[in-house]
Amino acid sequence: MRRRWVEVVAVTVAVLAVLFTVADRVAAHYADKEATQLAAEKYGYRNTTDGHLDVSIESFPFLTQAFSQNFDHVSLSARQFTIDTTNNAQGGYLPVKQLQLDLHGVQVTSLTAHSAGANLATGTLTLSYEALSGVVTRLADSGGPIHISQAAGSAGKAARVEVTGTVDGRGLDSTGTLLAQGDEISLSLPGGGQPTATWRVQLPENVGFTAARATSDGVQISMVGHLVNLGSSRADPAPRPCSAGKPGRRSSDGEGDQGSDPGHR
C-alpha cells in the first residue's frame, strides 16, 4: 500500500511539473508577442512588409519572474527594417540588415504605462554593402551605380569602406568613412567636406553606438547602454514612419534596389 502511495505521489508531481511547464511556456509566448508589438510601436523596427521583429524572454521559469516583475535576460531581434535620413532626403532610406539587442536585468516599473528598465544592454546593428551602395547611388542622382565594399583601417566608431563608381562624370576609386556615434550613422565619401547622409536609429534611451567596423558581411556597429529606459520618455519623440520603405521596390532580401525611390516621387 505504501509503495502504491509513493507511486501516486510521484505521478502527481510529474503531471503537475508538466502542467506548470506548459503553462509557463504558454504565458511566456503570450508575453513575447505583447512585448514584440510594443517594441514595434515604439521603435519602428517593423516598418516594411518583409521586416521581422521578435522579442523573447529567455530565462526560465517565466511565471516566477513575471510575478516579481524582474527578468534576467530579454533579447530583441529585428531584420529588414528601414531608417531615413535626418533631413528626409529623397531616396535616402537605408535598409538595416539586422539589429540584435540583449537586455540584462530587466525590471518592469509600470504595467499600465508599459514601462521597464534594464541594467545593461548590448547589441549590434549590421548594414549590408548592397544597401549602402543602393542609398548612395540614389542620393547621388547622377552618374552610374556607386559600389560600397569592405576596406581596411576601421578604428573606434569609424568604419572604412571602399567606394567605386562614377558621379557627375568623374570616377571614384577611394575610401570613405561610416561613423557611428550616439544614435546616428553618417557616411562620408571621398572629396566631400560634409557627410553624404546621416541617419538616426531609434534606440532605447541611454543606449548608444560604441564601435563600427567593416567586415566581409557588411558594416557591423556595436552598441552598449547602462540603466536603460525601455518605457516612454518625454525627451524621445515617437518614431517617424519611414515613407521610403515601399514594399514594391524591395529585392528578395529586403535590401532595396539602386534605382529611383518611388516613395518620394
Side-chain angles (χ1 to χ4, degrees), residues 199-220:
W199 300 268
R200 180 173 292 113
V201 184
Q202 288 286 338
L203 297 176
E205 188 176 358
N206 294 335
V207 175
F209 298 130
T210 57
R213 63 190 183 96
T215 71
S216 58
D217 295 327
V219 176
Q220 188 175 87

Side-chain angles (χ1 to χ4, degrees), residues 190-262:
Q194 298 294 325
T196 300
T198 300
W199 300 268
R200 180 173 292 113
V201 184
Q202 288 286 338
L203 297 176
E205 188 176 358
N206 294 335
V207 175
F209 298 130
T210 57
R213 63 190 183 96
T215 71
S216 58
D217 295 327
V219 176
Q220 188 175 87
I221 302 171
S222 302
M223 63 187 82
V224 172
H226 298 276
L227 300 178
V228 177
N229 178 19
L230 302 171
S232 300
S233 170
R234 294 178 182 177
D236 253 356
R240 185 174 62 243
C242 185
S243 59
K246 299 297 182 182
R249 300 289 289 181
R250 298 259 175 248
S251 61
S252 60
D253 62 356
E255 298 295 345
D257 63 24
Q258 296 183 8
S260 62
D261 171 23

Side-chain angles (χ1 to χ4, degrees), residues 91-95 130-140 187 199 257:
Y93 67 89
L94 174 61
E130 181 181 355
L132 290 169
S133 300
V135 70
V136 171
T137 298
R138 291 190 299 272
L139 290 173
L187 179 63
W199 300 268
D257 63 24

